[in-house]
């Protein structure tokens, strides 16, 4: 056993040794160790290099606030995870870890040259350099910056793990399972309320796990802890979630929890998820997150071996590890004295306790004396020495204290600048923080959610106060949730009345130009950097943060924000609250993308919507393509056919006889009410008030900017009811836009909007024989040309089921769109397909639909429009109601820029070589002989081979294209420049004779 491991001390299981590696060297720890505690037990303090200066770095903390000890972890051959905090990583047999941000080795890193050249890298240097010469940016500066950026190495292989997610509801959610949270859980749980209590550590207990001297209700803190956990486990209404971090607190008491399930296991059960995201909605929330110890700011405070005093106490009492044989303690708070006492009582020679304060409790001084620890009150630390680990500190008297500077040998320096309440989750809710002058920190103030803060996170640093606040908070939360609860009282013994002053930048007798007193350890931000930012005009702490990058690390400023604020406030000579506080945003700690994704990966990444006819298409061997969130049949190949052959066959079948197409994915919105026609008149460009029931009209929807947003055929079923169709991808967007206008602009209109996209299956029949097929199957609708002409709609029955039958076409052929309840979709389709055999009925997919509509010049919004086309640009001026007083986007259409003749306009293109099919997206130029870069005047939006025409066709947007009919344009391609002639957009049956064929 290592000399740094104190046998029998702590809560690790000495009967279960664990073998692991760090940088290829094998070490032994015990079950219950973190990587940090196990490495410290083996005398390893050097674990990484800093981001900017590549300075040696060791462990600063023992929890999730750790900014330094970020390691790479190999979880088997397929996954390597960077930037894992060694302080929370539980070890297991076979664990492989590596240090980061160095080359060629951790001990000898060539990047450390930055440390010697640190005067060239002050705060904000990146804003002032790399600006000249400009030509160097792409070839020199950018590659260098990208190569130097980042800490760990990103994984190169797909993540093989699985992740889970779960929704939960509870009466009381308690975040933090220290003494405060446990007392709250007991009070709430015993009331009968449904309680969930979470803690990010593998074991519940919080600060109690790091203390040995506290007594609660006549028993030791550890015994009380075990009894309390057992009592909570016995309550069926209480859920305990260790290894679970509350990462975000959102509106209406919605809290995201990340639960680590298998990272601590050597043998993971097959299929077991690695992590689970809990999405919890709670009636009441109790935040008992505790407090984070503040570092002190002095020259060399970042050397390996310099760590927080509270962390050293945790390593000692929880893990049985001493962090050094001869530590020195420097502090401005009583709690660090307790660390020194625990170490001394464990047999460690504490070299000295250095306290900034001139006055310290006599009780502390007498106990230090009894343990043989030298005390220096009214002294500070001016600097440290040591290359890869601290080996001495320079102590100096301050404020009139007697004595001269001293060099004190040590192998660890334990610092404490007081404690900072963890208010991150509270801040997520936009709760108001109030400045506490005596503690020099922010405390929770006015709440915006049904929540309460308790314990150290609310400024109650003593154990007795923490327990009392926790019990009261739990009882009140349960009461507010509708349960009767009583706040229990606790008798605490052996507790110190801990006091302290704020952390501060310690004075130094060294050249301030060379001193490196770090505020943000991970981003290498020094006190000097913050003062420089202030000198350069940045007065707000939010601006200082962005200029220096302090608080932007993976620890979210947990150990740096308050110190940075104090230094900035001192620099601007203003009180800290006037300088402001940076914004805390979720997640609370770095969280894997996999946890956020949960089950949504691979085939489940997006929900694939399928129509009721989809299964039939799959059985017929259809090829599919994604359209918005839907899976749609792309084409139906027969044996030996590629896509082009299949599409040509399908197109010919529709033009010759009959094709059947699944159009169920079209968006459908029911618009009902006395003012339905007026609402339609205001939303769409077309006039609607005089459209007779039973008739349809093409509808064009614009944005306020006058650009095309969506289109579709709309049928008026009665005076107060419209059946609106939208594009497949625009359904939700159009409904949202309509709701927005109805609720905010025209709340006086009596109109109701309902999405019916999933309610109706839509079967499109197109071709000369379409009416012959359905006529025997339709009841209650006269299909004669006189009674049911093109652009009609009627309700009746088909194949015995209700239908809304539209006479319309997106192919240029006689067409019908048969809307039936979705549950009957496949049955009606199969009946039509069976009876259609007499007409050689052919199913066709979206690719054929695209070819057929392009032959007729029918646009697809989002393909032939790009968000900058007006109706005039698209050749749809006929769809604008000229006499309408107003509609969405009308005013924008009259802006001077909208009326320019050189705007990009939709036209047709016919290639000089009819066999050449242009590439969609290909750029267009007028002059192919111009020098590079050429002036592009448009691009190809749609391009196909037309079997009906025996040649290629294309649609494109071209500057002033509608006035350039017959002109030649050029399409530069990698191997040649193609020529094409500008034409109209209608290539097939311009007289529309086939609509009634």
């Amino acid at each position: 056993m290592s000399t740094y491991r104190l046998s029998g001390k702590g809560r690790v299981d000495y009967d279960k040794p664990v073998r692991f590696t760090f940088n290829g060297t094998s070490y032994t720890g015990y079950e219950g160790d973190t990587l940090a505690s196990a490495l410290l037990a083996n005398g390893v303090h050097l674990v990484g290099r800093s981001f900017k200066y590549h300075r040696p770095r060791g462990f600063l903390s023992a929890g999730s606030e750790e900014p330094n000890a970020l390691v790479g972890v190999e979880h088997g051959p397929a996954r390597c995870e960077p930037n894992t905090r060694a302080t929370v990583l539980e070890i297991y047999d076979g664990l492989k870890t590596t240090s980061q941000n160095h080359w060629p080795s951790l001990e000898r890193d060539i990047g450390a040259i930055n440390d010697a050249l640190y005067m060239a890298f002050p705060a904000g240097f990146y804003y002032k350099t790399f600006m000249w010469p400009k030509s160097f940016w792409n070839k020199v500066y950018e590659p260098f910056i990208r190569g130097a950026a980042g800490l760990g190495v990103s994984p190169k292989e797909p993540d093989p793990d699985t992740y889970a997610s779960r929704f939960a509801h509870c009466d009381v959610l308690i975040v933090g399972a220290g003494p405060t949270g446990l007392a709250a859980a007991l009070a709430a749980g015993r009331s009968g309320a449904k309680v969930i209590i979470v803690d990010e550590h593998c074991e519940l207990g919080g600060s109690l796990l790091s203390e040995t001297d506290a007594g609660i209700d006549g028993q030791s803190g550890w015994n009380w802890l075990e009894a309390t956990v057992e009592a909570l486990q016995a309550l069926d209404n209480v859920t305990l979630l260790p290894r679970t971090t509350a990462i975000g607190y959102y509106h209406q008491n919605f809290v995201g929890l990340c639960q680590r399930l298998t990272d601590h296991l050597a043998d993971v059960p097959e299929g077991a998820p690695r992590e689970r995201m809990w999405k919890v909605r709670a009636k009441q929330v109790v935040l008992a997150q505790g407090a984070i110890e503040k570092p002190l700011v002095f020259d060399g405070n970042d050397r390996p071996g310099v760590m927080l005093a509270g962390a050293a106490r945790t390593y000692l009492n929880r893990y049985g590890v001493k962090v050094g044989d001869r530590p020195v303690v420097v502090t401005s708070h009583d709690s660090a004295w307790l660390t020194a006492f625990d170490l001394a009582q464990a047999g460690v020679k504490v070299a000295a306790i250095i306290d900034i304060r001139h006055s310290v409790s006599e009780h502390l001084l007498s106990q230090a004396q009894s343990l043989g620890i030298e005390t220096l009150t009214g002294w500070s630390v001016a600097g440290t020495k040591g290359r890869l680990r601290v080996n001495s500190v320079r102590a100096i008297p301050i404020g009139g204290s007697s004595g001269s500077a001293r060099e004190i040998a040590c192998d660890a320096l334990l610092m404490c600048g007081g404690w900072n309440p963890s208010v991150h989750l509270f801040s997520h809710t936009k709760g108001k923080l109030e400045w506490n002058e005596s503690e020099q920190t922010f405390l929770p103030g006015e709440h915006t959610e049904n929540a309460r803060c308790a314990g150290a996170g609310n400024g109650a640093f003593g154990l007795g106060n923490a327990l009392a606040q926790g019990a009261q908070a739990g009882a009140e939360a349960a009461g507010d949730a509708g349960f009767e609860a009583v706040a229990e009282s606790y008798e605490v013994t052996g507790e110190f009345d801990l006091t302290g002053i704020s952390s501060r930048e310690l004075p130094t007798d060294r050249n301030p130009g060379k001193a490196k007193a770090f505020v943000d350890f991970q981003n290498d931000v020094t006190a000097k950097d913050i003062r420089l930012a202030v000198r350069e005009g940045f007065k707000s702490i939010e601006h200082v943060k962005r200029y220096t990058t302090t608080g932007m690390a993976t620890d979210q400023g947990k150990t740096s924000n308050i110190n940075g604020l104090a230094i900035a406030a001192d620099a601007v000579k203003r009180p800290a609250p006037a300088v402001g506080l940076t914004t805390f945003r979720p997640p609370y700690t770095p969280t894997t993308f996999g946890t956020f994704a949960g089950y949504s990966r691979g085939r489940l990444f997006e929900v694939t919507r399928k129509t009721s006819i989809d299964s039939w298409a799959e059985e017929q061997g259809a090829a599919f393509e994604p359209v918005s969130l839907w899976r749609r049949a792309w084409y139906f190949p027969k044996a030996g056919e590629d896509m082009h052959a299949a599409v040509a066959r399908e197109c010919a079948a529709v033009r010759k006889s009959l094709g059947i197409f699944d159009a169920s994915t079209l968006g459908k919105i029911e618009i009902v009410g006395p003012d339905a026609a007026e609402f339609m008149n205001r939303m769409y460009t077309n006039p609607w008030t005089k459209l007779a029931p039973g008739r349809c009209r093409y509808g064009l929807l614009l944005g306020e900017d006058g650009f095309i947003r969506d289109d579709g055929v709309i049928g008026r079923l009665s005076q107060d009811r419209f059946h609106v169709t939208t594009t497949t991808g625009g359904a939700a967007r159009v409904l949202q836009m309509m709701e927005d206008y109805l609720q905010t602009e025209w709340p006086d209109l009596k109109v109701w909007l309902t999405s019916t996209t999933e309610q109706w299956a839509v079967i499109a029949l197109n071709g000369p024989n379409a009416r012959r097929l359905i006529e025997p199957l339709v009841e209650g609708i006269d299909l004669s040309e006189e009674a049911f002409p093109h652009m009609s709609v009627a309700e009746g029955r088909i194949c015995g089921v209700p239908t809304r039958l539209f006479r319309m076409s997106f192919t240029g052929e006689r067409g019908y769109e048969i809307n039936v309840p979705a549950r009957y979709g496949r049955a009606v389709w199969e009946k039509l397909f069976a009876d259609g055999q007499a007409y050689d009925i052919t199913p066709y997919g979206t690719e054929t639909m695209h070819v057929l509509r392009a032959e007729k010049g029918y646009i697809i919004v989002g393909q032939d429009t790009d968000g900058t086309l007006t109706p005039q640009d698209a050749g749809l001026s006929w769809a604008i109601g000229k006499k309408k007083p107003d509609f969405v986007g009308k005013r924008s259409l009259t802006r001077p820029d909208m009326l320019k003749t050189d705007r990009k306009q939709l036209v047709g293109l016919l290639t000089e070589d009819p066999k050449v099919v242009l590439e969609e997206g290909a750029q267009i130029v007028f002059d192919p002989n111009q020098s590079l870069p050429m002036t592009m005047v448009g691009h190809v939006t749609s391009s196909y081979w037309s079997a009906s025409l025996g040649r290629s066709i294309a649609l494109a947007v071209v500057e002033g294209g509608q006035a350039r009919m017959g002109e030649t344009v050029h399409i530069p391609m990698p191997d040649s420049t193609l020529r094409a002639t500008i034409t109209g957009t209608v290539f097939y049956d311009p007289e529309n004779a086939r609509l009634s064929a």
Side-chain angles (χ1 to χ4, degrees):
M1 182 178 293
S2 167
T3 58
Y4 293 100
R5 179 78 73 176
L6 301 176
S7 179
K9 191 172 182 62
R11 301 175 68 85
V12 298
D13 191 339
Y14 289 95
D15 293 328
K16 296 181 178 179
V18 175
R19 299 287 294 179
F20 67 97
T21 65
F22 177 67
N23 285 345
T25 302
S26 182
Y27 297 96
T28 299
Y30 295 97
E31 188 175 290
D33 265 323
T34 63
L35 178 63
S37 66
L39 287 175
L40 286 169
N42 285 276
V44 177
H45 280 258
L46 176 64
V47 289
R49 292 280 177 164
S50 66
F51 175 67
K52 185 164 68 172
Y53 297 131
H54 284 244
R55 287 171 64 90
R57 288 288 165 82
F59 305 100
L60 178 71
S61 72
S64 62
E65 68 273 21
E66 176 61 37
N68 288 339
L70 306 180
V71 299
V73 182
E74 295 182 22
H75 297 270
R79 174 162 63 85
C80 180
E81 180 180 89
N83 296 328
T84 301
R85 288 152 291 153
T87 49
V88 297
L89 174 63
E90 298 174 60
I91 63 171
Y92 55 83
D93 267 322
L95 174 67
K96 295 181 180 180
T97 60
T98 56
S99 55
Q100 302 182 151
N101 202 40
H102 56 75
W103 184 85
S105 70
L106 177 59
E107 291 75 15
R108 298 187 179 278
D109 178 18
I110 195 171
I113 192 173
N114 289 357
D115 193 27
L117 301 175
Y118 71 98
M119 295 296 286
F121 304 109
F125 79 95
Y126 25 78
Y127 298 119
K128 303 173 184 177
T129 55
F130 311 121
M131 305 298 291
W132 182 89
K134 188 176 181 180
S135 60
F136 274 37
W137 175 256
N138 289 332
K139 295 183 178 180
V140 179
Y141 297 148
E142 185 178 16
F144 172 78
I145 293 171
R146 290 188 180 279
L151 287 172
V153 178
S154 297
K156 294 181 174 59
E157 300 295 329
D159 188 349
D161 294 315
T162 58
Y163 298 84
S165 62
R166 179 176 296 176
F167 287 91
H169 294 79
C170 64
D171 298 308
V172 182
L173 171 66
I174 301 169
V175 180
T180 304
L182 292 173
L186 269 180
R190 286 172 173 168
S191 73
K194 184 177 181 180
V195 177
I196 297 176
I197 179 170
V198 306
D199 194 277
E200 63 184 351
H201 294 283
C202 63
E203 188 177 4
L204 307 183
S207 62
L208 288 177
L209 301 175
S210 303
E211 299 178 2
T212 59
D213 48 11
I216 305 174
D217 289 346
Q219 55 186 326
S220 71
W222 284 5
N223 288 339
W224 178 87
L225 168 62
E226 291 171 0
T228 300
V229 171
E230 288 178 2
L232 291 172
Q233 289 172 334
L235 296 173
D236 293 337
N237 55 312
V238 176
T239 301
L240 305 178
L241 293 178
R243 297 189 178 93
T244 305
T245 304
I247 59 172
Y249 192 164
Y250 305 91
H251 295 304
Q252 299 178 331
N253 272 14
F254 185 77
V255 183
L257 312 175
C258 175
Q259 182 184 21
R260 303 184 304 279
L261 299 171
T262 58
D263 269 356
H264 61 291
L265 301 178
D267 298 314
V268 178
E270 185 176 356
R274 179 189 174 200
E275 295 176 345
R276 175 183 289 122
M277 176 72 80
W278 288 71
K279 303 168 187 178
V280 179
R281 185 82 68 181
K283 291 182 180 178
Q284 297 289 324
V285 174
V286 176
L287 298 177
Q289 292 179 275
I292 297 170
E293 196 169 11
K294 292 182 281 190
L296 291 170
V297 184
F298 53 86
D299 185 22
N301 63 338
D302 68 321
R303 298 187 192 280
V306 180
M307 68 172 59
L308 297 171
R313 195 180 191 201
T314 295
Y315 289 123
L316 178 70
N317 293 326
R318 182 174 178 180
Y319 300 106
V321 175
K322 58 180 180 178
V323 297
D325 289 320
R326 186 178 171 81
V328 168
V329 175
V330 57
T331 183
S332 62
H333 195 271
D334 290 353
S335 62
W337 290 69
L338 305 185
T339 297
F341 299 161
D342 284 359
L343 286 167
Q345 290 166 353
V348 177
K349 175 60 180 176
V350 178
I353 299 176
I354 303 171
D355 201 310
I356 303 169
R357 301 169 295 177
H358 289 82
S359 177
V360 178
S361 166
E362 283 298 327
H363 176 73
L364 295 176
L365 291 170
S366 63
Q367 185 158 349
Q369 183 178 11
S370 68
L371 292 170
I373 303 174
E374 181 183 7
T375 59
L376 298 171
T377 57
W379 283 57
S380 72
V381 169
T384 65
K385 289 183 179 179
R387 179 175 172 268
L388 300 180
R389 181 174 175 179
V390 65
N391 58 33
S392 70
V393 301
R394 182 172 176 78
I396 61 171
I398 58 175
S401 298
S402 60
S404 57
R406 291 176 51 187
E407 201 84 19
I408 304 176
C410 65
D411 60 356
L413 177 59
L414 315 179
M415 57 182 171
C416 175
W419 295 80
N420 185 36
S422 183
V423 295
H424 292 66
L425 290 183
F426 175 79
S427 298
H428 290 176
T429 68
K430 295 187 177 180
K432 185 178 180 181
L433 294 172
E434 297 178 351
W435 179 252
N436 185 293
E437 185 64 29
S438 63
E439 292 291 338
Q440 290 289 288
T441 192
F442 284 96
L443 295 177
E446 182 180 345
H447 290 66
T448 60
E449 298 286 342
N450 293 326
R452 62 210 78 229
C453 299
N458 196 42
F461 295 106
L463 179 57
N465 288 338
L467 287 167
Q469 278 198 14
Q472 186 67 31
E476 291 176 354
D480 288 346
F483 297 83
E484 293 186 7
V486 177
E488 302 180 36
S489 59
Y490 298 93
E491 181 180 350
V492 177
T493 58
E495 180 184 9
F496 284 91
D497 182 16
L498 301 179
T499 60
I501 64 173
S502 66
S503 65
R504 59 181 64 181
E505 182 185 6
L506 300 186
T508 175
D509 62 348
R510 295 193 173 194
N511 182 344
K514 295 182 178 180
K516 296 190 184 74
F518 286 89
V519 176
D520 187 311
F521 295 88
Q522 192 172 107
N523 281 331
D524 277 344
V525 180
T526 65
K528 179 175 59 180
D529 290 330
I530 294 176
R531 295 187 181 278
L532 174 62
V534 171
R535 288 201 304 273
E536 298 202 354
F538 298 95
K539 308 299 183 183
S540 164
I541 194 63
E542 287 283 10
H543 295 157
V544 171
K545 170 183 176 179
R546 281 153 181 79
Y547 190 69
T548 64
T549 70
T550 185
M552 295 176 68
T554 60
D555 71 339
Q556 294 270 296
K558 295 180 180 66
T559 59
S560 62
N561 271 358
I562 292 298
N563 284 340
L565 173 62
I567 295 168
D570 180 65
V572 299
K573 308 303 180 186
R574 297 170 65 190
V579 179
L581 182 67
T582 57
T583 302
F584 297 112
R585 297 182 177 89
Y588 175 72
T589 55
T591 306
T592 61
F593 289 121
T595 304
F596 285 106
Y599 297 113
S600 302
R601 59 179 299 176
R603 295 179 62 186
L604 300 177
F605 178 69
E606 287 185 325
V607 176
T608 301
R609 302 169 74 180
K610 299 180 182 179
T611 72
S612 58
I613 303 165
D614 178 271
S615 57
W616 184 92
E618 185 172 27
E619 292 168 8
Q620 303 302 310
F624 291 92
E625 68 168 340
V627 180
S628 186
L629 295 179
W630 293 90
R631 184 176 86 154
R632 301 192 70 179
W634 192 10
Y635 58 94
F636 291 81
K638 290 188 175 181
E641 286 185 335
D642 60 10
M643 183 183 76
H644 300 292
V647 170
R649 174 180 51 77
E650 292 172 8
C651 287
V654 174
R655 298 289 188 214
K656 181 180 179 181
S657 179
L658 184 60
I660 186 170
F661 175 71
D662 182 5
S664 304
T665 64
L666 290 173
K668 293 170 279 290
I669 303 171
E670 195 92 348
I671 297 183
V672 181
D675 298 321
E678 177 60 24
F679 176 75
M680 292 292 297
N681 224 36
R682 297 182 187 183
M683 288 299 304
Y684 283 84
T685 64
N686 323 59
W688 297 94
T689 53
K690 294 183 179 180
L691 182 69
R695 297 294 292 163
C696 304
R697 180 165 289 163
Y698 173 77
L700 190 62
L701 184 69
L702 309 182
E704 284 286 6
D705 52 13
F707 298 134
I708 297 172
R709 289 288 187 273
D710 202 81
D711 70 346
V713 173
I714 299 166
R716 189 170 191 175
L717 302 174
S718 62
Q719 286 296 123
D720 62 352
R721 184 180 298 269
F722 288 83
H723 179 116
V724 175
T725 63
T726 73
T727 58
T728 293
R733 182 177 66 249
V734 171
L735 180 61
Q736 182 179 6
M737 180 178 174
M738 288 180 171
E739 287 282 10
D740 184 47
Y741 276 93
L742 184 60
Q743 294 180 34
T744 62
E745 301 296 326
W746 313 314
D748 56 308
L749 295 183
K750 296 180 179 179
V751 179
W752 293 268
L753 312 178
T754 305
S755 172
T756 58
T757 300
E758 291 83 1
Q759 177 180 340
W760 299 101
V762 182
I763 303 169
L765 288 174
N766 287 273
N769 289 313
R771 189 175 82 178
R772 295 186 182 91
L773 172 61
I774 65 172
E775 204 160 24
L777 305 175
V778 172
E779 304 171 44
I781 303 174
D782 183 353
L783 296 182
S784 66
E785 196 69 27
E786 297 76 18
F788 201 65
H790 183 63
M791 298 301 281
S792 296
V793 61
E795 294 184 287
R797 302 181 75 82
I798 186 169
C799 302
V801 303
T803 184
R804 286 181 179 175
L805 183 64
F806 286 75
R807 169 86 185 274
M808 55 168 290
S809 175
F810 198 49
T811 64
E813 303 295 327
R814 174 184 287 271
Y816 298 89
E817 286 193 0
I818 304 164
N819 290 254
V820 296
R823 63 183 179 276
Y824 298 122
R826 175 160 178 168
V828 173
W829 174 284
E830 289 179 336
K831 175 61 176 174
L832 292 170
F833 188 74
D835 290 4
Q837 297 304 310
Y839 306 103
D840 294 325
I841 191 169
T842 299
Y844 66 95
T846 54
E847 187 67 17
T848 296
M849 178 268 291
H850 278 273
V851 174
L852 296 172
R853 64 90 193 172
E855 290 174 345
K856 288 292 296 177
Y858 298 149
I859 70 167
I860 291 183
V861 174
Q863 179 167 331
D864 299 304
T865 68
D866 60 0
T868 66
L869 258 64
T870 67
Q872 295 93 330
D873 298 335
L876 298 173
S877 298
W878 55 267
I880 299 176
K882 303 299 189 295
K883 297 180 181 180
K884 290 176 61 173
D886 199 10
F887 55 81
V888 175
K890 177 179 174 63
R891 283 165 291 182
S892 294
L893 294 180
T894 61
R895 290 186 298 150
D897 280 355
M898 297 295 208
L899 303 176
K900 288 183 176 180
T901 58
D902 62 348
R903 289 180 56 81
K904 289 184 178 179
Q905 298 165 343
L906 190 68
V907 296
L909 292 181
L910 292 176
T911 54
E912 187 176 63
D913 182 350
K915 296 181 180 180
V916 173
V917 179
L918 297 175
E919 288 187 15
E920 292 181 349
Q923 296 295 306
I924 299 170
V925 301
F926 290 144
D927 179 9
N929 299 315
Q930 60 185 296
S931 59
L932 297 176
M934 292 185 177
T935 300
M936 303 299 177
V937 296
H939 69 277
V940 177
T941 63
S942 298
S943 181
Y944 309 98
W945 172 260
S946 169
S948 301
L949 300 171
R951 63 158 300 126
S952 66
I953 59 172
L955 298 175
V957 289
V958 177
E959 290 181 4
Q962 292 169 4
R964 292 178 173 272
M965 293 296 147
E967 292 187 16
T968 299
V969 293
H970 306 269
I971 302 93
M973 300 302 291
D975 54 350
S976 64
T977 297
L978 307 177
R979 293 162 54 91
T981 302
I982 297 178
T983 70
T985 57
V986 181
F987 302 99
Y988 181 82
D989 186 27
E991 297 81 15
N992 291 325
R994 298 189 64 82
L995 289 175
S996 300

